[in-house]
Amino acid sequence: MSRCCYSSTSLLPPHHRLRLSPPLYSCSLPRKPLKALSVSASLSAPPSDKQLFVLELAEKLEDSLSLPLPPIQPLRDTSSQSLVSTPWPTRQSEPFRFTDISYLTKYPVVPAQIQTIPSSFPLNSSLPIQITLINGLLNPSLSRIPSLPAGVFVGSIKDVPQGPISEKISSAIASCSEFKEKDVFWDFNNVGAADVAVIFVPAGVKVLDPVHLMFCYSGSGKEEEMSMCNPRVLVVVEEDAEVSVVEEHFGFDGAGRYWANPVMEIFIGERGKVSHSYVQRQPLNAAHIKWTVARQEASSTYEHVEVSIGGLLSRHNLHIQQLGPETVTELSTFDLVSQSNQIQDLHSRLVLDYPKGYSRQLHKCIVCNSAGRAVFDGNIRVNRFAQNTDAGQQTRSLLLAPKALVTVKPNLQIIADDVKCAHGAAISDLDQNELFYFQARGLDLKTARNALVYYFGADVIRRIPFKPIRETAASEVKKLLSF
Amino acid sequence: MAGASISSSFTVASSPSIRPSYRVWTRSRLRNFTRATLTIDSGASGGVVSGSEKVLLEVKGLKAVVKESGKELLHGVDLTVREGEVHAIMGKNGSGKSTFSKVLVGHPDYEVTGGSVIFKGEDLLEKEPEERSHAGLFMSFQSPIEIPGVSNFEFMLMALNACREKNGLKPIEPLEFYGYLGPKLAALKMDPVFLDRNVNEGFSGGEKKRNEILQLAVLEADLAILDEVDSGLDVDALQDVSSAVNGLLKPNNAVLMITHYQRLLELIQPSFVHIMEGGKIVKTGDSSLAKQLDEGGYKAISSV
């Protein structure tokens, strides 16, 4: 991969300035539209098929945007440049070694159209604050934003009031554009995002009601086409502030084939707290590639509960960057592979550079289809200055069908020398002793198996703080496990 | 049918719901439970020895091997337990005590190669483990396992409803079940908070044993097999568990205790004490046999 990675701000310690290899283009090129850049690229070396795919898709996304979106222009520029020289991931590149993403290039990809969803489709949340995004665009008529505490903003980036809030949003976006550990999908989102949902909570304010982001998708309806959209969310929580965010991704019935490519960026100020619940229940022919990037300042808390059960190809890149000491990070994730050729992939990365961080990660995964596949890569980097870190990671996978495949790669990279880190991984069928315990208490074998499988996942589902979301997730899981 | 109703009770931290249509029925059920509470609090201790009581469990010449290795662990066990009796089985390590209890409950690791077991007039060995539980057999495990993801409340509710369904009773609702559990928790001096914790997850040895006895109290078994219930318990916990077991004793049920130590037998008075050796019961007596064992060891017994 030929990219240059320079850290232009002093947020990270000096040893993070890496230079991987000479870039094809230096970063001082004047900003040109992608078409011009791609022509220059082709002059120096003929692009491969996949590289052409990247360039063509990036152009299609650029063309599909009817209006510029000035607040995120820096992101668009950085990513367009990046896309020129970033190759399409192959099985030879480490991040995609175990994940077959050929589904994304199987059909011609077209940017998603503006869709009207019939009013009979249930899009009403039982939570007080609701933002509905249809194919990545905020839909005010289907959203519900009650009166919020002073200074809190929830809405589209186009509606952010000029003044201190818009300045803080701009500086957050500038930090986003410096994100180095990204990939081609993160870049596509920047280039193709037509709108950004913003949740801004000023210092000292605790928003008690959760913000429910409902992402509804639909394809073009043509079998031979894959419609792609790029929803983007920015959450900025200042010092001593708190908010709970719930995001749900699903398709409208008879949705057709689509590729959802959402990105959420979260900034948590000192002593702030964000509780993030994420439920992915896409239809079983959808592709879902998601990025979540969280940046935690000193003494902040980030709680992430994830239930990922839909999609034919689902990949979540979860990156958490510690920007100060004594942070608390709790991650609980549950992946369910229940269909033929389904892939659930979670690549998480927690980067710790400051002392006394506390983190716990629990990953649970069930594969109950012989042709299904699950992948987990849990990376925790405890760098030189992250002394007295207390990090724990546990992954448990349940393989319930012959030839079902799960690949787990828990990896802790520890450089600091005074830390407490533990990790455990287990992959198995149901425990015979557990089954017998159920039988000895009067439950027959079949019920015992069903109960143990369901409760394996329910262990994570019950950590979602909000009952309606928990119940939706639980009932979807039960359906897929066909109880 | 069983599967359908049980799956409806797979709820994730659901709040209990009240259904008016069952109100008349629930009032009468609650009355029944109140009666049960009174029985528990009145705490009868010990059992009465009487040959004319109905036979609950009859074991004749039971032989069993370990499935994997084929090694014979039980060489012909004979035992009769009548209603209202408390039996204790003692013996050296490796004598077959735990194996005996596991074979009775139907553990898949063991295979019966000879003899018969009749429980309440029916062949026990023909039944699956869950059927034996429905028939009224309960075993408190020596080392109860942890089941992450299932709360104690959910587990006990599932087990109780499976039993009730089998016996033609309507399943009990979560709200009612909370009420039903209240006095039982109090008797065992357990904090209601523990109901929301996952089964045995993070429990100390003593807490696990208390949990087992709580399940016994909920399922109201006819024959309770307590496999080394005293191991891992401190003096106070042992006191609480013993008084709970004593409180559950009724004229028509029985207890079979497997233990190493005399101290449990001082708290739960046995009607019969059996010594097991080499996969057979070699001696039977009353509680004085246990005292002899305690004072002189197994040598003192075998010489008599």
Side-chain angles (χ1 to χ4, degrees):
Chain A
M1 286 236 286
S2 39
R3 279 194 290 165
C4 74
C5 301
Y6 288 105
S7 174
S8 55
T9 66
S10 56
L11 275 178
L12 299 171
H15 59 272
H16 271 259
R17 291 198 187 134
L18 305 168
R19 189 184 180 142
L20 290 180
S21 59
L24 278 179
Y25 289 95
S26 79
C27 296
S28 58
L29 258 188
R31 294 183 190 130
K32 289 181 197 172
L34 207 63
K35 286 191 177 102
L37 284 171
S38 63
V39 166
S40 332
S42 61
L43 288 177
S44 57
S48 66
D49 277 341
K50 288 292 182 305
Q51 199 144 354
L52 262 176
F53 174 83
V54 171
L55 296 170
E56 283 169 3
L57 179 56
E59 278 174 30
K60 276 188 223 173
L61 290 172
E62 264 187 1
D63 292 341
S64 73
L65 298 171
S66 45
L67 295 165
L69 199 55
I72 65 166
Q73 197 58 42
L75 279 174
R76 289 219 175 117
D77 295 334
T78 321
S79 287
S80 334
Q81 281 184 345
S82 184
L83 279 173
V84 171
S85 51
T86 311
W88 182 253
T90 62
R91 300 298 284 271
Q92 274 73 53
S93 57
E94 184 59 36
F96 288 89
R97 207 168 104 202
F98 307 110
T99 314
D100 179 5
I101 51 172
S102 59
Y103 186 56
L104 298 174
T105 50
K106 195 167 165 191
Y107 299 92
V109 179
V110 292
Q113 304 301 315
I114 298 173
Q115 208 75 24
T116 38
I117 307 289
S119 49
S120 52
F121 185 69
L123 271 178
N124 220 358
S125 164
S126 38
L127 296 176
I129 310 175
Q130 174 185 352
I131 302 232
T132 307
L133 295 102
I134 313 278
N135 280 351
L137 282 173
L138 264 96
N139 190 315
S141 58
L142 292 168
S143 306
R144 185 178 58 247
I145 302 173
S147 63
L148 298 165
V152 175
F153 177 81
V154 173
S156 160
I157 201 170
K158 298 172 193 153
D159 301 328
V160 171
Q162 285 300 318
I165 299 183
S166 61
E167 280 166 23
K168 288 172 187 170
I169 301 292
S170 302
S171 86
I173 289 175
S175 304
C176 292
S177 58
E178 280 148 21
F179 183 53
K180 298 303 169 205
E181 304 206 52
K182 55 181 180 169
D183 64 12
V184 103
F185 302 104
W186 190 85
D187 286 325
F188 278 138
N189 182 286
N190 289 343
V191 168
D195 198 354
V196 180
V198 172
I199 299 172
F200 177 82
V201 186
V205 176
K206 297 191 194 328
V207 180
L208 298 170
D209 292 326
V211 180
H212 189 183
L213 294 157
M214 299 182 88
F215 295 81
C216 183
Y217 302 90
S218 105
S220 62
K222 293 191 196 133
E223 255 306 294
E224 291 311 302
E225 231 173 46
M226 181 173 267
S227 142
M228 180 205 194
C229 73
N230 298 278
R232 198 177 179 86
V233 183
L234 177 62
V235 178
V236 177
V237 170
E238 296 199 308
E239 303 84 52
D240 300 291
E242 264 179 46
V243 76
S244 302
V245 177
V246 177
E247 52 173 321
E248 257 192 299
H249 297 258
F250 51 93
F252 151 61
D253 291 335
R257 198 187 306 278
Y258 60 79
W259 165 6
N261 199 47
V263 169
M264 180 183 277
E265 308 248 15
I266 305 173
F267 290 79
I268 315 176
E270 287 186 26
R271 296 171 307 277
K273 178 170 170 187
V274 169
S275 149
H276 179 196
S277 309
Y278 159 53
V279 176
Q280 184 271 88
R281 50 184 183 87
Q282 299 276 31
L284 296 160
N285 64 345
H288 182 93
I289 313 278
K290 172 163 162 66
W291 265 94
T292 305
V293 183
R295 294 167 176 84
Q296 290 189 255
E297 297 282 352
S299 306
S300 62
T301 303
Y302 176 57
E303 287 167 1
H304 174 95
V305 182
E306 171 180 328
V307 177
S308 181
I309 57 185
L312 185 64
L313 167 63
S314 167
R315 159 80 170 231
H316 185 198
N317 297 292
L318 175 60
H319 180 107
I320 299 152
Q321 188 80 40
Q322 187 198 42
L323 298 173
E326 295 178 10
T327 54
V328 172
T329 313
E330 304 233 16
L331 310 173
S332 314
T333 53
F334 171 54
D335 287 352
L336 173 63
V337 176
S338 56
Q339 308 297 322
S340 211
N341 301 318
Q342 189 179 23
I343 302 175
Q344 294 281 0
D345 180 341
L346 172 65
H347 269 63
S348 73
R349 194 186 304 131
L350 172 61
V351 182
L352 301 165
D353 284 299
Y354 293 85
K356 301 199 187 116
Y358 171 88
S359 82
R360 288 289 179 267
Q361 180 174 18
L362 171 67
H363 172 76
K364 283 202 165 179
C365 162
I366 299 179
V367 182
C368 50
N369 187 296
S370 292
R373 181 156 200 175
V375 179
F376 171 62
D377 183 323
N379 175 240
I380 300 182
R381 288 188 211 159
V382 184
N383 290 328
R384 180 139 54 99
F385 302 108
Q387 299 289 11
N388 302 117
T389 295
D390 179 357
Q393 182 191 76
Q394 208 194 93
T395 151
R396 281 194 66 198
S397 303
L398 209 51
L399 286 178
L400 300 174
K403 300 202 184 144
L405 189 57
V406 70
T407 308
V408 294
K409 191 180 142 198
N411 52 107
L412 275 70
Q413 295 168 265
I414 306 171
I415 301 175
D417 53 16
D418 181 11
V419 301
K420 187 167 112 181
C421 297
H423 75 119
I427 305 177
S428 61
D429 191 355
L430 289 170
D431 189 337
Q432 287 302 315
N433 288 325
E434 286 179 357
L435 283 168
F436 183 68
Y437 196 64
F438 273 72
Q439 280 186 289
R441 294 290 177 262
L443 295 154
D444 63 278
L445 199 55
K446 181 158 178 281
T447 311
R449 280 197 81 92
N450 288 352
L452 281 169
V453 171
Y454 172 74
Y455 282 114
F456 184 80
D459 196 16
V460 172
I461 300 176
R462 67 175 64 228
R463 294 174 191 212
I464 296 177
F466 308 106
K467 190 164 164 215
I469 313 295
R470 249 192 332 256
E471 290 184 345
T472 316
S475 75
E476 290 291 313
V477 167
K478 277 187 215 168
K479 258 190 253 170
L480 289 169
L481 289 171
S482 43
F483 284 173
Chain B
M1 229 194 340
S5 66
I6 286 163
S7 69
S8 71
S9 69
F10 288 177
T11 50
V12 183
S14 66
S15 65
S17 57
I18 307 169
R19 288 208 222 141
S21 55
Y22 284 123
R23 201 132 313 233
V24 171
W25 172 79
T26 52
R27 249 182 266 133
S28 63
R29 297 311 298 171
L30 278 168
R31 254 183 269 128
N32 287 344
F33 297 155
T34 321
R35 240 179 275 136
T37 313
L38 287 171
T39 318
I40 288 162
D41 291 343
S42 69
S45 67
V48 175
V49 180
S50 166
S52 59
E53 298 291 344
K54 218 165 83 176
V55 171
L56 208 48
L57 179 75
E58 188 150 23
V59 181
K60 284 198 179 130
L62 184 63
K63 291 188 186 167
V65 303
V66 180
K67 251 192 212 161
E68 236 181 81
S69 62
K71 180 174 171 201
E72 195 176 69
L73 292 180
L74 298 179
H75 304 305
V77 180
D78 295 307
L79 180 69
T80 304
V81 177
R82 292 192 170 77
E83 284 183 355
E85 293 179 348
V86 177
H87 290 244
I89 297 185
M90 305 177 82
K92 287 198 244 187
N93 291 331
S95 55
K97 309 187 299 300
S98 275
T99 310
F100 178 51
S101 61
K102 287 197 184 127
V103 168
L104 284 178
V105 169
H107 198 285
D109 282 352
Y110 305 98
E111 195 181 323
V112 170
T113 47
S116 70
V117 179
I118 309 291
F119 179 64
K120 284 164 78 176
E122 288 175 359
D123 185 356
L124 190 69
L125 300 174
E126 256 183 20
K127 297 188 179 181
E128 293 292 329
E130 60 272 15
E131 290 168 340
R132 300 185 196 195
S133 169
H134 297 152
L137 190 68
F138 178 93
M139 174 153 124
S140 150
F141 287 82
Q142 189 177 352
S143 355
I145 51 145
E146 291 183 9
I147 310 181
V150 192
S151 78
N152 285 305
F153 183 81
E154 283 162 338
F155 182 63
M156 285 192 289
L157 185 59
M158 262 199 291
L160 182 61
N161 281 340
C163 191
R164 288 168 70 89
E165 201 163 331
K166 193 61 198 255
N167 295 330
L169 295 168
K170 289 240 174 71
I172 183 173
E173 294 292 312
L175 184 62
E176 236 187 296
F177 192 53
Y178 272 115
Y180 177 59
L181 280 174
K184 295 185 201 263
L185 282 168
L188 275 160
K189 300 211 181 96
M190 292 175 96
D191 191 343
V193 141
F194 116 103
L195 288 173
D196 290 327
R197 289 168 61 185
N198 291 335
V199 176
N200 294 328
E201 201 175 32
F203 282 21
S204 68
E207 284 174 326
K208 284 185 188 174
K209 291 291 160 64
R210 273 190 233 232
N211 193 10
E212 295 287 288
I213 302 303
L214 178 65
Q215 288 173 27
L216 169 61
V218 164
L219 293 172
E220 294 181 325
D222 296 313
L223 176 63
I225 304 173
L226 308 179
D227 192 354
E228 297 204 30
V229 74
D230 52 344
S231 75
L233 290 182
D234 63 45
V235 177
D236 293 330
L238 186 60
Q239 189 76 43
D240 296 333
V241 164
S242 306
S243 48
V245 173
N246 282 329
L248 291 169
L249 283 171
K250 283 184 272 199
N252 64 344
N253 61 18
V255 169
L256 176 62
M257 292 184 288
I258 294 172
T259 183
H260 275 302
Y261 303 110
Q262 162 67 356
R263 63 178 186 158
L264 179 67
L265 304 183
E266 280 165 11
L267 295 166
I268 308 178
Q269 298 280 338
S271 352
F272 293 100
V273 174
H274 310 270
I275 309 292
M276 197 157 197
E277 199 181 299
K280 281 171 102 133
I281 290 183
V282 296
K283 212 175 182 74
T284 297
D286 62 14
S287 41
S288 59
L289 187 59
K291 285 206 187 73
Q292 273 185 310
L293 190 63
D294 200 43
E295 282 157 18
Y298 288 99
K299 264 207 198 117
I301 304 291
S302 54
S303 61
V304 172

